[in-house]
Amino acid sequence: MHELGVVFHIMDSLESVAKENNVTQIQSVTMEVGEVSTVIPHYLTDCWAWAIKKRPLLTDCRMNVEILPAVTYCEGCGAEYGTVAHGRICPHCGSEKTWLLRGNELNIKEIEVI
């Protein structure tokens, strides 16, 4: 479960931003998680709930997760399509010359402070 390591990295980033901005309490953080990012959202939030108890700045911080759909681009026909629904082969022209356009991100989108 690499989500725990991801959570510690997020917490470190939040604490750094809080220090730079003289913030004493973070109320919530919104994460963007790509549909094919290998991060499992409920594992992420479960690890978060456990880990925040150990950091005073984040004790009552809520984590919100927004899923970013995975989209693949086809070099053969120029189409974009849903990666999860169709995989690597373009459903429009059958080409295998495709690449992931988006959907593997893991971003801190928003931080809400008190």
Side-chain angles (χ1 to χ4, degrees), residues 35-36 69-74 79-92 99-102:
E35 193 173 29
V36 294
V71 177
T72 296
Y73 174 77
C74 176
E80 294 181 12
Y81 62 90
T83 306
V84 173
H86 300 287
R88 202 178 129 239
I89 298 173
C90 178
H92 303 286
W99 50 274
L100 188 64
L101 191 60
R102 59 186 169 274

Side-chain angles (χ1 to χ4, degrees), residues 32-74:
E32 294 177 322
V33 178
E35 193 173 29
V36 294
S37 68
T38 73
V39 173
I40 300 171
H42 73 272
Y43 287 176
L44 187 68
T45 55
D46 287 351
C47 289
W48 180 260
W50 174 82
I52 61 170
K53 296 172 187 166
K54 299 172 183 346
R55 306 237 185 145
L57 176 73
L58 303 168
T59 303
D60 296 317
C61 185
R62 181 179 68 255
M63 176 181 278
N64 304 307
V65 176
E66 295 178 3
I67 305 299
L68 299 176
V71 177
T72 296
Y73 174 77
C74 176

Side-chain angles (χ1 to χ4, degrees), residues 75-112:
E75 289 182 8
C77 68
E80 294 181 12
Y81 62 90
T83 306
V84 173
H86 300 287
R88 202 178 129 239
I89 298 173
C90 178
H92 303 286
C93 71
S95 175
E96 292 184 20
K97 294 181 181 180
T98 61
W99 50 274
L100 188 64
L101 191 60
R102 59 186 169 274
N104 63 345
E105 304 89 346
L106 178 64
N107 303 314
I108 297 173
K109 178 182 179 183
E110 183 176 271
I111 303 168
E112 185 179 349

